[in-house]
Each structure stands twice: as C-alpha cells, then as structure tokens.
Amino acid sequence: MWLASIGSVSLADVGDVGLLPVLPAGYWVALALLLVGTSAAVWRPTLHEGWVAAHVVALVVVLYGAAAAVSPYPRGTVPWRHVGIAAYIGATGEVDPQVDAYFNWPGYFALLASYTGMAGLDDAAALMKWAPVVNNLLFLAPLLVIARVLTQDRRAAWCACVLFVLGNWVDQDYLAPQATGFFLYLCVLALLLTVLRTPERVPPLLMRLVPRRWRRLQPDPTGGGAGQPVAGTEHGARGRAVVAVVIITTAVTASHQLTPFALLFALVALAVTGATGVRGLPSVAALITAAWLALPAATYMQGNFEVLLDQVGDLTGATQGNLVERVQGSPGHLLVVNARLLFSAALWGLGAVAALRVWRRGGPYVTTMALAVAPGLLFPLQSYGGEMLLRIFLFSLPFTCMLIAAALVPRARRSPTTTATTAKAVRGAKRAHGAKAAKTARTAPGTKGAATATGTTGATTATGAKGAATAKGAKRAATAKGAKARPRARPTTPPTAPPARSLRGAAVLFLVATLVLAPASVLVRYGNQRIDQRSAAEVLAVRALYERAPEGSVLVAGNENTPWRGEEYADHRHLTLTRLIRNGDVADVRGLQGLIHGTLTRSRPTGLLILTRQNRDYEELLGRQVPWTLAELETSLRADERFRVVFENEDAVILAPVAGAES
C-alpha cells in the first residue's frame, strides 16, 4: 500500500511546508496500520523480538524512504559534495589539506573512496539516495544493545528504538561523516556498556544535590559492587574491547570535527557515574583529539584557531546562530521551524519527566540521564554554523527515548511471599542492636545467605555480637565476628510479568504517542523538501556546467543550494553570490552585475555563472539575503550585453562573460 501510494506524489506540488500536505491518503493509512502492528508486537504479553524487529525495519523504510521513493535524485546538496571529495581521493590517492576544511578530516572520505573502488562503482553517487534508510538501520543495532543494558527490559529497549525512529528528524543520516560518526559513537558506548561495564553507582556529590526523599538505592542488576567488572567478562575480552574503543575513537577523530567532542563528553559521563571500569578512556580520547588538531588538521587550525577560540563560551553568538537566525523565512517555513522547536522541546520535556519518574521509583538510570545531558556541553563551544542545537538533539535523543520508554513500561511485580519476607527482614534490621541506618534487606524463603541492611557499620554477627542485624525467617543470618558484610542478597523468586491491565494501558498510551509523533516527524523532517529535492533538469545543467568549464576557472552559483562539486572537486574555484556580496561593495543589481563580470573575467580561463530554480526557491523559502531577487538578477543579466547564455533548460541557465566586454 505504501509503495503504491507514494508513487503518485508530484514534486511540483511540494510547497513551503514540505511533503506533509502532498502525501496521499494511502501513505497515511499504511503508516497508521504499521504503527498499530508495531504497538501490538511490542506490548503483547509474550514478546517476540523477531516480529518486533520486522515492524521497526518496516517503519524505518516507510519514514526515511519517503523522499527517496518520490524523487529520482537524493535530497540536499551536501551529499554531492561528499561524492566529489571521495572521487578526488580515489583518483589521486592523495589528501591535500590545502583544498578545504574537509581534507583536514579525510577518514570518512577515504573509506568511501575505498568502498566505491572495491564495489566497482564509478563514484559514490549511487549510494546517496537510500543512505538515510541504510544509516538508520545501522543505528538500530548498537542502539538496541545500549537500550537493553540501560533499561534492563527488552520491551523498554524496543520502545526506545521505535521512539528514536520517530524522533530523529534532524536529517543528519545522509551520505556524510556525521552519520558514520554517530554510528561509531553508538558502537563505542555499546562496547563500554557491555564488555567494559561495571555496575553504576550514584556519585556522592550528585547525591548531596538530590532531596533526601528521592535518595533511593539504585538496584544493582549484576550483583557486583561499584567499580568491579561485570561477572562473566573475560580479561582478554576486556582488553580487546579497550583496543577496539581506541581504534574507533581514532577513526571518529579522523573523520568528523564535532563527534569526537560528543564522544569525549559521553566518556566523561560514563566515568563519573562509574558505569565503566576503564576510567582512563576520557584522557585517551582527549589526547587523540588534541593530537589530531595539532598535526593532521594543523592547516585548518592555523587559519582558524583565533576565530574558533573566540567562539568558545560565546553563548549569545551560539543562541543567535542556532535559534534567532533560523526563525525566518516564508510563513510556511516559519510554521515548519516552530514545529521543529516544539517537537524537540516536547521530546526533551518528556525525557525530563521520565527521568524524574524512574528516579523516584528507583532504578539504575543515572548513566542514562548522564548520557542524555552530556551533549549539552557542546553548546558553549561554538554555533557550528547554526547547527549545534541540532547535533546536541541528535546525540541526546537515544538516551532521552530510553528514559521515556523506561518510564512507560510497567514495573514487574514481586511475589507476595518475597515482599512479605522483605518487610519482615527490614523490621528485624531496624530492631537490631547497633545498626545505624538499615535501609533495605531482602531474603527469599529458604535461602541460607544473610540479609544485611545497607548502611550498617559493621558485619552481621551472631546474636549478641556488636552491630548484629538479623532478619526474622532466615535460616542463617550470621557470619563470624569481624567478617566483611556480604553484598545484599537478591530474591531467588524472579519478578513476575507486569499485570495485563498495566500492559494494556501502556500499550494504548504508546500507540497514541506514536500516532501523534509520526505525522509530526514527517512535517519536521521533510519541511524543507521544496529546496531539498533535485530535478532532472537541474542535475543536467550542473553536468553541462562542468562540461563547459575549463580547468582552473571560477564557477559562481546563485547560492549554496546547488548540487555541484560532485565532480572535478579541486579543479575549479567555487563561489556563491552570497559570498561575493559579503566580500564586495554592492549597492544595486547593476553593481552586482559588474562584480560578477569582474570575478569571471579575472579568472584565467574565464569562469561561468549558473542560476537555478532551486536557487530562487531557496531564497524565497528562507528569506531573501539581498535587496533584490535572483529572478530580477537573471532578467538583468540576460539583457546585459556583457553576458551571453551558453546553456539553459526549464530549471537552470548558465551564463558566460562576453570576450572583450568591460566590467
């Protein structure tokens, strides 16, 4: 149904609010049925994970494949640039940091070039269209591993995955270093939280900031003490995992500017909460990042260090770039921008409420909270081209979804016998002579181990010994005098499944939430579809541009919304009118024409100018950047005897300066 209905979408009908209004009824029916099926699979009394996984994979295809299904070309312009960088590295076998900033972090592009060559492809363009679907499927693997550890509930883990699929609107899953960096970021955390994990503990400093009535003992899912390796993890496996983490961290550092810092803050969060026994990893990650900036990326840092340093701590500039400057454009675009802000704030707000709920009812979620908050430390570093808040949302989203899922899933019931025995043990501990602060003590019927009260000052000893704390009903609750207190015993009777009534209530709430999130996700993710989509005529015009441009010439485009640099990446100097206007003294259209003519004729050989319909759409959707429109400029250029048209079709025109004409 989805595939049949999506084919009827006309790209010409896409307006300022993107795909949402033009998607047919069949698409929404298919999506609603899929969400109902997903909810039923997740919340059935007996969880069948294969069935749930099939639904989640289908959900990824339906949501993230919508644009790919309606357009013959990939969305956006940046993927074309990435294809060009990989093609340059593949053709020359060299990485020249003088070309531009990308070549100071070439790891991803070198990998893309190698894969393209091994696959027998001419370039990586064939990988662009469905990259969002592939990348989001890749995200799910480490995400599920992390969610199982942090939520300690398979149902909650799958709920978190579904919420992540519906909530990931930031569109950083295309063919780009950020997508691969985010995947590797999740892989590192998955390794640290499984092979290298230790039971988490609440840091004493944090506990002092928490109201006393909320200071609940965090359950220890492994039965070990804080700072000790999880049982069953071999020393050799831990060593190999540490090596893998260091290698992956190096790969991330070599591929992306921002992700290493997000990973560093996540490693610090894990170290602070005691969730990993390898406390030196943050220092290692910081050293790797610093070494890369000082050596391979030295060319970029030498030219931009002072600018980057000035941005650190500039909260006003970060707020201006990430919020104020983004809230502009056409009325339809403003609707999309406000929806994005509301969508993100709603998910963060739900995450905060969920964190409060799971904390108050008790649960090992300190690490989850820390990982959800840690990306916020990126904000004071710089505005990151106005995209820092988007990246912060991306890095925090998995853990925000885990908190929401953990709060949503009903708690498992304890058997009445176990509960009664626990109550008796607690009363006995409180009556014991010498106990200072007995908090909890649990003993299953028939166990021979001791039940000790957490917070007592000494070992539990035989009756009459100083500091004894015995639980009524236990067969033996004493050890030799002076022996260390044993870890708190866990009930041998496992928790029973949550009540069916609780599951039904949670299932209804989850279904309603997904039915609301899904259309909102389509709106905020595809709200820029009018300028993101590429037409066949536009792509053909860009190819014609490179066919006519001599090597070494200057190429000028209307603005950055141009799918160029996918070929001959370093053979030309690429400029936009926005950059020319910023660097030149332009008072009117006539002055801009002279500036363009001078720029193209000073180039040896002579350069070319390309203007496209998508350039005009970009200008209209996001708000005009100059006092005149590109349509007015094109009309003036066509009438100017100093320019001639060398190519045109329904979506683009290419102009060249007339030889001998004065600027």
Side-chain angles (χ1 to χ4, degrees), residues 432-433 459-471 474-481:
H433 174 71
T460 56
T461 61
T463 305
K466 185 178 181 178
T470 60
K475 288 186 177 181
R476 190 178 73 183
T479 60
K481 184 177 180 180

Side-chain angles (χ1 to χ4, degrees), residues 284-303:
V284 173
L287 182 61
I288 292 172
T289 302
W292 187 272
L293 294 177
L295 296 175
T299 301
Y300 176 82
M301 295 302 296
Q302 288 171 2

Side-chain angles (χ1 to χ4, degrees), residues 92-443:
T92 64
E94 299 177 354
V95 175
D96 183 2
Q98 300 288 343
V99 175
D100 60 21
Y102 286 104
F103 286 81
N104 289 261
W105 286 270
Y108 170 80
F109 303 109
L111 176 65
L112 187 59
S114 299
Y115 176 81
T116 302
M118 290 186 295
L121 301 174
D122 294 334
D123 55 37
L127 308 176
M128 291 190 292
K129 185 176 179 181
W130 292 96
V133 173
V134 174
N135 283 327
N136 277 279
L137 291 177
L138 288 176
F139 298 159
L140 287 177
L143 180 64
L144 181 61
V145 172
I146 296 170
R148 284 177 173 176
V149 173
L150 294 182
T151 65
Q152 300 179 31
D153 187 292
R154 292 178 179 268
R155 195 186 309 275
W158 281 109
C159 283
C161 289
V162 174
L163 293 174
F164 175 83
V165 170
L166 295 174
N168 182 20
W169 67 268
V170 295
D171 209 9
Q172 291 298 320
D173 43 30
Y174 56 89
L175 194 70
Q178 177 65 94
T180 301
F182 182 65
F183 170 70
L184 296 177
Y185 168 87
L186 293 176
C187 289
V188 169
L189 297 184
L191 279 172
L192 293 172
L193 291 170
T194 51
V195 183
L196 299 174
R197 185 182 180 223
T198 57
E200 69 177 29
R201 57 181 173 82
V202 183
L205 178 61
L206 178 60
M207 287 301 295
R208 295 191 188 101
L209 303 177
V210 176
R212 286 185 176 276
R213 65 179 181 274
W214 293 353
R215 295 184 187 179
R216 292 175 177 255
L217 179 68
Q218 300 297 305
D220 178 1
T222 64
Q228 300 299 318
V230 172
T233 304
E234 297 179 0
H235 180 73
R238 292 173 60 81
R240 291 190 293 272
V242 170
V243 172
V245 167
V246 172
I247 292 174
I248 295 174
T249 301
T250 304
V252 170
T253 305
S255 300
H256 196 239
Q257 300 95 323
L258 183 63
T259 305
F261 293 95
L263 180 57
L264 174 61
F265 294 147
L267 294 177
V268 171
L270 293 178
V272 169
T273 58
T276 177
V278 189
R279 300 297 180 85
L281 281 178
S283 299
V284 173
L287 182 61
I288 292 172
T289 302
W292 187 272
L293 294 177
L295 296 175
T299 301
Y300 176 82
M301 295 302 296
Q302 288 171 2
N304 297 275
F305 181 75
E306 293 184 2
V307 176
L308 295 174
L309 190 62
D310 289 342
Q311 292 181 359
V312 176
D314 184 8
L315 297 180
T316 301
T319 303
Q320 180 78 16
N322 284 271
L323 291 174
V324 178
E325 293 179 0
R326 284 187 167 270
V327 186
Q328 61 181 350
S330 68
H333 183 66
L334 285 176
L335 172 65
V336 173
V337 171
N338 290 325
R340 287 170 173 168
L341 294 174
L342 180 61
F343 187 89
S344 303
L347 279 178
W348 271 337
L350 287 174
V353 172
L356 179 63
R357 174 176 170 80
V358 298
W359 180 276
R360 296 189 65 176
R361 79 183 187 187
Y365 298 111
V366 177
T367 299
T368 315
M369 298 176 195
L371 290 172
V373 172
L377 298 174
L378 295 169
F379 189 75
L381 296 183
Q382 60 168 281
S383 67
Y384 203 66
E387 293 189 356
M388 185 60 84
L389 269 181
L390 298 180
R391 310 305 173 100
I392 291 173
F393 180 82
L394 174 65
F395 286 114
S396 69
L397 181 62
F399 310 102
T400 301
C401 294
M402 291 174 200
L403 289 171
I404 297 172
L408 185 62
V409 173
R411 300 181 67 182
R413 297 178 300 178
R414 299 286 182 184
S415 66
T417 304
T418 302
T419 305
T421 305
T422 302
K424 291 180 181 179
V426 172
R427 288 195 297 270
K430 288 183 178 179
R431 290 195 301 267
H433 174 71
K436 286 187 176 181
K439 294 181 180 179
T440 59
R442 298 181 178 179
T443 304

